[in-house]
Amino acid sequence: MRRFFLPLLVGIMLVPMMARQVSSQNGASAVEATKQDVLKFEDLRNQAILNRDTTTLDRMYADEITWTMSNGDLLNKKQVLANIGSENQRLFTIEHSDRTLHVYGNTVVLTATSHSSERYKDKMVTVPRRFTNVYVKQDGQWKLIVHTVTPLAAPGATGLPAADQK
């Protein structure tokens, strides 16, 4: 009788542990799939920017988007699309590195460094910039809801006045 109950007892104890492990693996693969979806979305968005395809960008940007330029300009969706359509903002190259994604359910935060060249308000911007994009899934579609850019200091710059640098 013990020979029957001991394996049964061990089985009863192991099943929940194995289920948690499978659930954890499924969760990790779901997160990885979400990251890949957002990276694909980001690549398509960048191509649409280079092509000045405001129709595609209109579908990709949430109506409530907040877009902060590296000079501090705060733009809404209508302004962003108008800038790209009128060439007030024109990207010539888009090169991103150090991309990191964090998944929080139907929200994804992407941070990266941009080495892109762009003209904004007739000024060329070529300094490296750090940006953060926040994506939300709305009605089964990813949308960009926040885009914020911060210029990075030139190599060797400390942000201190020259007299204070040592």
Side-chain angles (χ1 to χ4, degrees), residues 89-148:
Q89 177 185 4
R90 175 70 191 246
L91 276 93
F92 299 99
T93 62
I94 297 177
E95 295 179 36
H96 296 156
S97 61
D98 305 321
R99 296 195 300 188
T100 304
L101 290 101
H102 300 280
V103 178
Y104 305 97
N106 68 344
T107 303
V108 177
V109 178
L110 165 69
T111 58
T113 300
S114 178
H115 301 279
S116 307
S117 63
E118 85 178 283
R119 183 182 63 237
Y120 180 63
K121 293 184 176 180
D122 294 324
K123 293 183 182 173
M124 284 302 296
V125 180
T126 57
V127 298
R129 298 169 301 283
R130 192 83 179 137
F131 70 90
T132 301
N133 286 347
V134 179
Y135 306 89
V136 295
K137 201 162 205 178
Q138 296 177 336
D139 300 323
Q141 300 294 316
W142 288 107
K143 301 278 186 169
L144 180 63
I145 194 159
V146 174
H147 173 79
T148 302

Side-chain angles (χ1 to χ4, degrees), residues 23-126:
S23 175
S24 175
Q25 289 171 348
N26 288 343
S29 63
V31 166
E32 191 56 37
T34 296
K35 287 180 180 181
Q36 293 307 311
D37 283 350
V38 169
L39 286 174
K40 181 179 177 185
F41 177 91
E42 176 69 4
D43 291 341
L44 292 171
R45 189 183 72 81
N46 288 333
Q47 193 59 50
I49 290 171
L50 289 171
N51 294 336
R52 295 178 36 238
D53 183 353
T54 56
T55 301
T56 297
L57 294 171
D58 185 43
R59 287 192 308 269
M60 298 179 103
Y61 295 163
D63 291 338
E64 311 84 5
I65 193 169
T66 302
W67 189 284
T68 307
M69 299 294 295
S70 60
N71 69 351
D73 285 356
L74 180 62
L75 308 175
N76 63 30
K77 182 177 181 177
K78 183 178 175 183
Q79 293 167 318
V80 171
L81 295 174
N83 273 341
I84 293 170
S86 69
E87 290 199 22
N88 192 38
Q89 177 185 4
R90 175 70 191 246
L91 276 93
F92 299 99
T93 62
I94 297 177
E95 295 179 36
H96 296 156
S97 61
D98 305 321
R99 296 195 300 188
T100 304
L101 290 101
H102 300 280
V103 178
Y104 305 97
N106 68 344
T107 303
V108 177
V109 178
L110 165 69
T111 58
T113 300
S114 178
H115 301 279
S116 307
S117 63
E118 85 178 283
R119 183 182 63 237
Y120 180 63
K121 293 184 176 180
D122 294 324
K123 293 183 182 173
M124 284 302 296
V125 180
T126 57

